[in-house]
Amino acid sequence: MVGKRKSVKSRHMAQKSNGANLGFEEKLWQVANKLRGHMDPAEYKHVVLGIIFLKYISDAFEERYQQLALWTSDPSSDYYIKETPARYEVLEERDEYKAENVFWIPKEARWSYLQVNARQPTIGRIIDDAMMAIEHDNISLKGVLPKDYARPTLNKQQVGELIDLISTIGLGDKENRSKDILGRVYEYFLGKFASTEGKKGGEFYTPRCVVRLLVEMIEPFKGRIYDPCCGSGGMFIQSEDFIRQHGGRIGDISVYGQESNPTTWRLARMNLAIRGIEANLGPHNADSFHDDLHKDLKADFILANPPFNMKSWGGERLREDVRWREYGAPPVGNANFAWIQHFIHHLSPTGIAGFVLANGSMSSNQSGEGEIRKNIIEANLVDCMIALPAQLFYGSPIPVCLWFLARNKRNGKFRDRSRQTLFIDARKIGHMVDRIHRELSDEDISRIASTYHAWRGVAGAGAYEDIPGFCKSATTEEIATHNYVLTPGRYVGAEDIEDDGEPFEEKMARLTEKLEEQFQESARLEAAIRRNLKELGYGQ
């Protein structure tokens, strides 16, 4: 009987606001920190995030379980089942969960079972078994989840504390899924881990505000999106969020990615799975330069944050690679222009790419980089260049830039921008959120993206105009006079200073008087210091 039943349809709940503040991230961080004395941050992030993942999918499962229990036991329901054994059979029917995009959780992996055993010395093995059982019953998670909680070096008492704390937090029920709480917890932890681990950790985490700016700039509404160094998957997640916010739906874009680090590749798989995003990240982790898993892909949108100034990328083994034929072989000691040409190689005839690079990529002439940049500019590919402020990235305090390449600037989507490039100097934009980290606000992102949209002729974006000190539309001929350097500061000029209305002669008299007062004060302080030193026996 059960095998022939159609899936019970869930009742839709109203979408809740995503704006609620989370109050438990810092508590999670404090518990996670207890593990730091026993392992490297690169290890304990997987301990914490793996358990959070278990709680999320268990919450979603439990909500669906209770929903089925209510409907099948209610005589007034169309799904009422009188016999208890048959009713229980429905509750344990996997298809009833998978039909609602809920992961099937076997009994030995459910959160209630983990919580009861949290203080047992065998909790590590119990968690490992739970991970293996979930992977066995959910093919999309196979080979993804961490399964090393039983190792002797992991403090089992602290793991139990972590389970107890996470037990008090709702993560995967319908209301919290609508708030994307797990995504925000992941983001919080990824940011914390990247900050703690320094440059090495930042390789898999691109700050959310930078990802949002990239996505808002290129507007990936529909088509194939690609990131050949996808880290934890942030570019894909923000693209899906953008589509939903603009009335689209999940699935409007096809997601393709690749990641060389095996643990980060698994983290991306988990991060995408909890959001229901289907992505082709390849069957395993792989190096995009030496093992391109998507060789035939031509993407409509490319979003990426490749490792900056990568020295050991194996370029000496790829001197005759097809990707360098048009613009020149990149230097073996720096992968920046290898990444750029990899992106170009994978762009569709009307595709656009937006990516982060170190500032040196805009001006370097070492090892042929200047010639490659010139060839790319003369090929009419560089659509927009943005200089960003320093301290945006967890892994590096240095300022970075954003490149935007358009395969065809006169493809009919927007105005013909042939042999034109927009330069935006955003180095003064943003605000400090703590002593060492800066963020771009919604207003900052909107200002930059709106400027680009107006310049390229997006319907309804308004008219574009150059703003001294902020933005300038330059021709390829003008760029050539600057030796093909793409630093926005060279083009946007100085910011206009508002005239205060004070006549020049009056202003000079006032400033001269002020300067004389400061000279006198300086002389007074110098005399006082010399007098004090003399009294101490050091002056003359």
Side-chain angles (χ1 to χ4, degrees):
M1 167 189 159
V2 175
K4 296 181 180 180
R5 293 179 70 255
K6 64 179 180 180
S7 175
V8 178
K9 296 180 180 179
S10 62
R11 299 171 184 175
H12 297 289
M13 298 178 67
Q15 185 91 352
K16 304 277 183 158
S17 168
N18 287 351
N21 290 324
L22 299 177
F24 51 78
E25 305 105 323
E26 198 60 37
K27 291 181 181 178
L28 285 172
W29 182 244
Q30 289 169 5
V31 174
N33 271 338
K34 291 184 178 181
L35 298 171
R36 292 179 66 179
H38 300 270
M39 66 183 71
D40 184 85
E43 294 182 61
Y44 74 74
K45 71 170 176 281
H46 297 292
V47 172
V48 179
L49 293 178
I51 294 177
I52 290 174
F53 180 84
L54 278 182
K55 179 62 162 64
Y56 176 88
I57 62 175
S58 292
D59 280 1
F61 177 88
E62 180 63 23
E63 181 182 58
R64 180 64 174 162
Y65 186 97
Q66 294 301 329
Q67 186 181 62
L68 291 170
L70 176 64
W71 291 354
T72 55
S73 61
D74 181 1
S76 65
S77 169
D78 293 338
Y79 301 101
Y80 173 63
I81 299 174
K82 185 176 182 181
E83 300 84 4
T84 300
R87 186 186 308 152
Y88 180 77
E89 192 177 350
V90 170
L91 298 181
E92 296 294 327
E93 175 60 52
R94 299 183 188 193
D95 289 344
E96 296 292 356
Y97 299 85
K98 293 184 177 181
E100 298 300 323
N101 200 30
V102 172
F103 288 110
W104 165 256
I105 312 296
K107 291 179 181 179
E108 68 274 19
R110 294 172 191 173
W111 191 260
S112 56
Y113 182 75
L114 298 180
Q115 189 175 4
V116 167
N117 289 280
R119 298 295 178 166
Q120 298 297 320
T122 56
I123 185 59
R125 171 51 57 193
I126 291 171
I127 295 174
D128 286 345
D129 290 343
M131 296 289 192
M132 287 187 283
I134 291 170
E135 283 192 356
H136 180 269
D137 289 335
N138 298 275
I139 191 66
S140 65
L141 295 175
K142 190 167 183 61
V144 172
L145 304 183
K147 296 177 284 291
D148 55 356
Y149 290 86
R151 65 185 184 274
T153 55
L154 184 58
N155 186 304
K156 305 307 184 292
Q157 180 179 346
Q158 291 170 351
V159 171
E161 290 180 33
L162 187 62
I163 291 174
D164 286 344
L165 174 61
I166 295 176
S167 294
T168 67
I169 304 167
L171 290 174
D173 57 88
K174 185 80 171 183
E175 181 178 354
N176 286 321
R177 287 202 304 275
S178 72
K179 294 176 183 175
D180 191 22
I181 281 184
L182 184 64
R184 290 161 65 184
V185 170
Y186 257 69
E187 183 174 280
Y188 177 85
F189 269 74
L190 289 173
K192 279 285 193 180
F193 289 130
S195 180
T196 301
E197 294 176 43
K199 185 175 181 180
K200 194 171 182 180
E203 288 178 1
F204 65 79
Y205 179 72
T206 308
R208 181 178 172 84
C209 64
V210 176
V211 180
R212 282 193 54 213
L213 176 57
L214 285 166
V215 171
E216 291 289 340
M217 290 282 287
I218 72 173
E219 298 185 306
F221 286 111
K222 181 174 283 191
R224 296 174 299 263
I225 187 167
Y226 174 55
D227 182 350
C229 41
C230 67
S232 57
M235 301 290 184
F236 303 136
I237 292 162
Q238 193 60 49
S239 296
E240 292 277 6
D241 288 346
F242 174 86
I243 289 168
R244 286 195 184 99
Q245 290 165 12
H246 289 79
R249 56 185 176 78
I250 192 168
D252 282 352
I253 59 175
S254 300
V255 173
Y256 298 86
Q258 190 162 335
E259 171 56 41
S260 61
N261 183 291
T263 53
T264 306
W265 177 79
R266 288 194 293 270
L267 184 59
R269 292 276 304 274
M270 290 168 61
N271 209 1
L272 295 169
I274 60 178
R275 297 161 187 263
I277 297 175
E278 292 188 12
N280 182 350
L281 303 187
H284 50 77
N285 62 290
D287 182 320
S288 291
F289 290 136
H290 298 273
D291 185 13
D292 189 349
L293 300 178
H294 306 289
K295 284 186 177 180
D296 299 325
L297 174 67
K298 298 299 180 183
D300 302 295
F301 306 99
I302 292 177
L303 290 163
N305 173 27
F308 299 163
N309 302 316
M310 199 173 159
K311 290 183 173 61
S312 301
W313 63 281
E316 66 279 359
R317 304 194 303 275
L318 297 171
R319 302 322 290 158
E320 304 301 323
D321 194 274
V322 65
R323 289 168 287 188
W324 330 137
R325 286 180 186 172
E326 288 188 68
Y327 312 108
V332 298
N334 191 314
N336 286 345
F337 280 86
W339 283 116
I340 292 174
Q341 293 182 85
H342 181 82
F343 301 147
I344 295 172
H345 179 76
H346 279 288
L347 273 179
S348 73
T350 59
I352 184 168
F355 50 91
V356 186
L357 273 184
N359 276 356
S361 64
M362 298 187 289
S363 58
S364 171
N365 287 311
Q366 295 180 349
S367 305
E369 288 183 332
E371 188 65 23
I372 298 173
R373 186 173 56 249
K374 171 186 174 181
N375 294 338
I376 291 171
I377 294 168
E378 287 291 350
N380 200 27
L381 291 171
V382 182
D383 208 34
C384 179
M385 296 296 302
I386 300 177
L388 291 178
Q391 297 178 286
L392 286 174
F393 280 72
Y394 287 97
S396 174
I398 65 171
V400 300
C401 62
L402 301 182
W403 288 61
F404 294 88
L405 305 179
R407 176 60 93 172
N408 185 350
K409 294 185 183 180
R410 47 173 177 238
N411 60 25
K413 288 184 180 180
F414 312 109
R415 73 175 183 87
D416 185 352
R417 309 175 307 285
S418 298
R419 297 189 70 77
Q420 299 174 52
T421 298
L422 175 65
F423 292 91
I424 298 177
D425 190 344
R427 289 176 296 174
K428 296 180 181 179
I429 286 179
H431 61 282
M432 300 300 291
V433 293
D434 56 38
R435 186 174 55 85
I436 57 175
H437 294 139
R438 181 183 297 271
E439 282 187 0
L440 301 177
S441 67
D442 291 347
E443 292 73 21
D444 296 331
I445 293 170
S446 177
R447 181 188 180 194
I448 296 170
S450 296
T451 299
Y452 177 55
H453 295 162
W455 175 80
R456 72 174 178 172
V458 175
Y464 169 81
E465 63 177 27
D466 291 340
I467 300 174
F470 178 66
C471 62
K472 172 70 168 25
S473 180
T475 64
T476 301
E477 289 70 28
E478 185 177 354
I479 296 171
T481 66
H482 288 275
N483 198 28
Y484 297 95
V485 168
L486 293 175
T487 307
R490 288 200 175 207
Y491 302 91
V492 303
E495 184 178 0
D496 282 342
I497 299 176
E498 187 176 347
D499 187 357
D500 59 9
E502 184 178 11
F504 177 77
E505 294 297 335
E506 293 181 14
K507 180 180 289 188
M508 281 301 297
R510 177 176 60 80
L511 293 176
T512 302
E513 182 181 355
K514 181 70 174 176
L515 184 60
E516 183 60 34
E517 292 175 0
Q518 291 173 340
F519 282 155
Q520 292 175 6
E521 178 64 11
S522 175
R524 186 188 68 79
L525 291 172
E526 181 183 358
I529 292 171
R530 288 185 181 279
R531 189 165 55 249
N532 290 338
L533 286 171
K534 189 174 182 179
E535 291 176 359
L536 293 171
Y538 294 101
Q540 295 183 0

